[in-house]
Amino acid sequence: MKAQQILRDYLTSKWYFYLTAILFIVAANIINSFFPRLLGRFTDQLDQGQMTQPVIVEYSLLLLAVGVSFAVLGGIGQYIVVRLGRLFEFVTRRKLFGHFTTLSEQFYSKNGVGKLLSYVMNDVTAVRESIAMGVNQTTNATITILSAMTMMLLSSIPLYLIGACVLPLAAIPWIVTGIGPVVRKRSLTVQDSLGKMTEAAEEQFGGIRVTKKFAVEPIMMRRFGAAVDQIRDNQLHLVRVSSLFQASIPFLGALSLVVTVAFGGYLTIHDRITLGNFVALTLYVRMMVNPLQQIGNVINTMQRSRASLERINELLAVKPDIQEVESSGSIDLRHAAIHIRNLSFSYPDSDRYALHNINLKIEPGKTVGIAGKTGSGKTTLMKLLLRVYDAPRGTIRFGEVDIRDLSLESLRSQISYVPQDGFLFSTTIRDNIAFYHRDTAFDRVEDAARKAQIYSNITEFPEQFETKLGERGITLSGGQRQRTSLARGIIKDSPIMILDDSVSAVDSITEKKIINMIRSERRNRTTLIIAHRVSALKHADEIVVLDEGRIVERGTHHELLAHQGIYATLHAIQEEGNSDAAL
Ligand SMILES: Nc1ncnc2c1ncn2[C@@H]1O[C@H](COP(=O)(O)OP(=O)(O)OP(=O)(O)O)[C@@H](O)[C@H]1O
C-alpha cells in the first residue's frame, strides 16, 4: 500500500464536499480582500476633505458587509472541513479495528496493545488535524495571498514598491523545504516514544495487582518515568526545530512591514503614491503575513502527520498470517476423524521445535486426554488444530480434508475451545456465557452455568446473570472465572470441544462433577482434555503424554499405569497427595 493510500481514498471519495468547502472559503477570502482597498479609499477621501456623514455610513456598511460575508461563508466552509475531518477519524478507526480483528496471534505477540492503541488514537488524530487544517488554512492562505496580490496590482501602487515589500516573504518557501524534513523525522521519533509510553502504561495498569503485592511500586515508577522522560526529550527536540521554523516566518513578515513603512512612507511624503494607497499597501502586506505563517503551520503539521499516516498505512498493509485458500470450504466435523501425521512445528521466531513428529488419530466421538509437563507442547497442538498458527500442509486433516483447505469460519465455529484463563469481557455474566450467540435463550444460559458448576455462585450476586464483570463491575475469583469461561464453551455445543487445562483452578470435588458432566454431555462427540490432574483424564478413550514436544506414552488409563512411565508416576504422586490429605 502506498504511503498516502488511505487518505487519498478518503479525499477522492469526498471530493465534492471538499470542493464545496473550498469554494466557500475562497469566496470568503476574496470578499475579505476588499477590506484594505475600502480603507484605502476611505483614507483618500478623508485626506482630500471629501468626508461627509453619508460617506462614513456608506463605508461603515460596506465594511460590515465584508466582515459578515467573510464570517458566514468562511464559517460554513470551515464547518464542512472539520466535519469531514471527524468523519475521516471515524472511518479510519473503524477500518483499523476491522483490520486488527483479521490479524493473528503472532501479530499481537509482536505488537503490544499500547502501541496499537497509540496508532488508533494519536496517529489517526494527527492525520485528522492535518487534513482539516490543511484544507482550511491552505485555501485561506492561498486565496488571501492571491487576492491581496491582485488587489495591489489593480491599484495604482508602483510594481517596484510591491516587489520590494513582498521580497522578504519570498524566503519562506526556502525555509519550509529546508526545515520541514527535519520536523518530520523528529516527529516520527516523538510518535514512536508516545507509542512506547502507551505500551508501558498499558502493561503497568495490567500488572498493577502484581506490582502492589510485591511492593515494587518504586521500580515500576522508575520504569514508567523512563518512558515519560524519553518522550520529554524527543518532544523538546521537536519543539526546538519547529519553534525555529514558526518564529522565522513572523520575523520575515515583520521585515516586510518595515520595508513597506520605510519605502512606502518615503514615496508617500514625496507624493509618488497617495496616502490611501500607502494605507492599503501596509494592510495588504500585513494581511499576507498571517497566511504565510499559516502555510508554515500547515506544512509543519503535514510533516508530522505524514509520519502518522505512514504508520497507519503500514499497519493496514499487514497481511494476516493465517490465509484462507480461495477454494476453502466447510465440512461437518461431527463425523470427521482428526488425523495428525508426522507433525513437527516450531514457532515463527523460534529456532527450536515445539512439537516433534506427532502422529495421532482421533476418531469422531472419542475423548482424548493429553498430559505432559508445562512447556511440553500441549497448548501448541491445540493452537494448530484451531489454526491460530499454521501447521505444515498435509500434517493435519479433518476427515479427508487438509486443515488448510477448510474455511476458518467452518473450522472455528465447530470447535469449542476453553483455555485455562479465558478472558471475560466487561459486560454481564449472561453476555459472557452467551458470547458465541448473544441472543441465546436465557434457559440455555442457565443450563450451561449449571453444567459448569457456576450457577449457585451467580445466583448469589444481587443482579444474578445481569451482574456486570470487569472494570465497572465485580471481580470473579480465578475458579469462578474459569467456570464462567467453561460455561461459554459448553453453550457453544460444538462437534469438537477442547478443554485446555480448563478446570485447573477448581477444587477436586467440583472438578469431578464437571468431568462427569462432560462425559455424559459429550458422549459420542469428540472431546480433547488437557489436564495436569490424572483425575480429569482417566476416563478418556486414549491418553497421550507429551514430553518436550514428542508423544512419549499413549494408551488408556490402565495401560499407562501398567507401563510405569511418566503418567504412572504422575498418578502415584497425586494419589499419594490425596492419601496424605485424607490422613
Ligand atoms: N508464541 C510463541 N512463540 C514462541 N514460542 C512459544 C510460543 N508459545 C509457546 N512457545 C513455546 O513452545 C513450547 C510449548 O509451549 P505450550 O504452551 O504448548 O506448552 P504447554 O504444554 O501447553 O504448557 P502448559 O502446561 O504450561 O500450558 C514452550 O517451550 C513455549 O515456550
Side-chain angles (χ1 to χ4, degrees):
M1 191 178 277
K2 299 220 177 67
Q4 313 289 336
Q5 191 68 48
I6 189 167
L7 183 57
R8 190 177 308 144
D9 288 352
Y10 181 75
L11 295 181
T12 320
S13 70
K14 298 277 180 269
W15 69 269
Y16 37 94
F17 285 117
Y18 276 109
L19 185 66
T20 313
I22 288 172
L23 289 177
F24 272 103
I25 300 171
V26 167
N29 282 289
I30 291 178
I31 291 173
N32 200 36
S33 65
F34 282 91
F35 206 79
R37 195 181 171 99
L38 284 172
L39 277 179
R41 284 206 191 138
F42 181 81
T43 313
D44 277 342
Q45 281 186 293
L46 193 70
D47 194 33
Q48 289 153 15
Q50 296 165 351
M51 197 49 65
T52 59
Q53 204 172 335
V55 174
I56 294 178
V57 173
E58 187 194 329
Y59 273 102
S60 306
L61 289 176
L62 278 172
L63 289 174
L64 183 68
V66 169
V68 170
S69 313
F70 176 67
V72 172
L73 297 174
I76 296 175
Q78 190 162 348
Y79 168 76
I80 300 176
V81 172
V82 171
R83 213 185 123 99
L84 289 170
R86 288 285 173 194
L87 191 64
F88 169 80
E89 200 170 45
F90 165 77
V91 169
T92 309
R93 287 198 175 128
R94 277 187 74 122
K95 214 174 205 167
L96 277 174
F97 190 75
H99 187 64
F100 284 159
T101 59
T102 66
L103 299 174
S104 53
E105 186 178 300
Q106 196 190 342
F107 172 82
Y108 288 99
S109 39
K110 273 197 209 145
N111 294 279
V113 175
K115 189 163 136 191
L116 300 177
L117 276 178
S118 164
Y119 285 145
V120 176
M121 303 309 294
N122 305 338
D123 285 336
V124 175
T125 302
V127 178
R128 189 259 301 161
E129 279 171 359
S130 85
I131 343 175
M133 190 173 164
V135 175
N136 244 332
Q137 302 202 354
T138 311
T139 317
N140 254 331
T142 317
I143 300 304
T144 306
I145 293 169
L146 283 180
S147 17
M149 289 299 286
T150 315
M151 287 296 195
M152 281 194 282
L153 294 172
L154 290 178
S155 57
S156 42
I157 304 169
L159 218 55
Y160 61 85
L161 177 58
I162 298 175
C165 296
V166 298
L167 190 67
L169 303 180
I172 291 176
W174 176 77
I175 293 181
V176 165
T177 45
I179 304 185
V182 185
V183 172
R184 185 167 150 228
K185 203 164 150 227
R186 294 192 182 181
S187 123
L188 195 70
T189 323
V190 168
Q191 294 287 2
D192 263 352
S193 49
L194 274 177
K196 286 202 183 101
M197 186 199 68
T198 326
E199 207 171 326
E202 198 265 334
E203 199 176 292
Q204 307 276 321
F205 288 134
I208 193 75
R209 289 179 185 85
V210 181
T211 306
K212 289 207 151 298
K213 280 174 202 127
F214 279 80
V216 290
E217 288 94 334
I219 300 177
M220 300 323 270
M221 290 268 292
R222 263 202 305 282
R223 275 198 203 158
F224 189 66
V228 176
D229 286 350
Q230 187 64 50
I231 294 187
R232 184 202 54 206
D233 294 347
N234 291 342
Q235 291 271 24
L236 289 179
H237 207 49
L238 172 66
V239 163
R240 272 197 289 277
V241 65
S242 61
S243 306
L244 175 73
F245 184 56
Q246 303 265 0
S248 55
I249 293 171
F251 169 74
L252 291 169
L255 205 62
S256 289
L257 271 179
V258 171
V259 175
T260 310
V261 170
F263 196 18
Y266 174 83
L267 294 180
T268 312
I269 56 172
H270 286 89
D271 284 337
R272 307 262 287 277
I273 60 167
T274 66
L275 182 61
N277 272 346
F278 172 66
V279 170
L281 176 70
T282 317
L283 290 175
Y284 279 124
V285 171
R286 180 74 201 89
M287 201 173 164
M288 282 170 40
V289 176
N290 271 352
L292 286 166
Q293 163 100 52
Q294 280 178 351
I295 290 187
N297 284 344
V298 168
I299 290 171
N300 223 329
T301 316
M302 293 274 187
Q303 296 289 359
R304 268 187 244 158
S305 70
R306 223 187 116 112
S308 294
L309 187 59
E310 274 167 17
R311 287 172 21 139
I312 296 174
N313 279 313
E314 269 168 27
L315 192 63
L316 286 172
V318 175
K319 293 242 175 341
D321 300 302
I322 308 294
Q323 298 273 352
E324 287 186 335
V325 291
E326 254 174 45
S327 56
S328 69
S330 69
I331 59 161
D332 188 345
L333 295 190
R334 271 178 303 179
H335 311 296
I338 306 171
H339 302 268
I340 302 174
R341 250 188 54 209
N342 303 334
L343 167 63
S344 293
F345 173 79
S346 60
Y347 281 97
D349 292 324
S350 166
D351 49 10
R352 55 180 286 269
Y353 279 108
L355 291 173
H356 292 267
N357 200 23
I358 303 289
N359 285 288
L360 186 64
K361 182 175 180 194
I362 304 169
E363 294 292 350
K366 295 288 177 204
T367 297
V368 172
I370 303 173
K373 292 195 295 228
T374 64
S376 56
K378 303 180 296 293
T379 300
T380 304
L381 186 57
M382 299 307 117
K383 283 184 184 166
L384 296 181
L385 289 177
L386 281 157
R387 264 193 97 187
V388 174
Y389 288 88
D390 261 333
R393 187 171 264 285
T395 54
I396 300 180
R397 274 188 297 122
F398 285 89
E400 293 309 310
V401 185
D402 193 282
I403 190 168
R404 289 189 177 215
D405 295 327
L406 276 174
S407 73
L408 289 175
E409 208 272 330
S410 159
L411 177 74
R412 292 180 187 165
S413 65
Q414 295 188 73
I415 300 181
S416 178
Y417 177 67
V418 185
Q420 182 180 17
D421 192 11
F423 183 83
L424 297 179
F425 293 86
S426 298
T427 175
T428 62
I429 295 182
R430 178 184 176 162
D431 281 350
N432 267 294
I433 295 179
F435 181 67
Y436 183 57
H437 279 308
R438 288 283 166 106
D439 47 2
T440 309
F442 184 56
D443 54 349
R444 285 197 55 210
V445 176
E446 283 183 309
D447 184 47
R450 272 196 200 95
K451 286 176 179 154
Q453 303 295 320
I454 185 74
Y455 184 82
S456 57
N457 290 104
I458 298 175
T459 49
E460 275 165 20
F461 298 131
E463 292 182 62
Q464 306 202 344
F465 279 82
E466 297 309 319
T467 306
K468 282 227 158 64
L469 301 180
E471 280 161 26
R472 277 163 295 146
I474 60 151
T475 307
L476 296 180
S477 74
Q480 288 170 337
R481 268 208 311 277
Q482 219 176 36
R483 281 173 287 144
T484 309
S485 152
L486 178 64
R488 176 157 77 193
I490 291 171
I491 209 170
K492 197 173 165 192
D493 201 23
S494 315
I496 298 175
M497 184 173 211
I498 299 175
L499 301 177
D500 189 348
D501 225 356
S502 319
V503 284
S504 58
V506 300
D507 59 83
S508 310
I509 298 171
T510 313
E511 183 206 79
K512 190 163 185 189
K513 286 184 190 163
I514 293 174
I515 294 296
N516 285 342
M517 177 280 302
I518 296 281
R519 286 177 66 202
S520 69
E521 270 299 300
R522 298 210 48 92
R523 181 166 298 128
N524 301 328
R525 278 185 305 168
T526 313
T527 308
L528 279 73
I529 304 178
I530 295 179
H532 288 286
R533 288 192 207 147
V534 168
S535 51
L537 301 170
K538 65 180 181 193
H539 301 289
D541 298 302
E542 184 178 16
I543 300 164
V544 294
V545 180
L546 286 178
D547 191 30
E548 297 195 354
R550 297 172 198 273
I551 296 184
V552 288
E553 288 170 32
R554 65 201 316 161
T556 61
H557 174 68
H558 294 293
E559 285 165 359
L560 289 181
L561 288 187
H563 180 68
Q564 295 286 312
I566 297 178
Y567 184 84
T569 312
L570 201 64
H571 179 258
I573 294 169
Q574 289 176 8
E575 282 298 301
E576 195 181 325
N578 286 343
S579 49
D580 282 353
L583 287 176

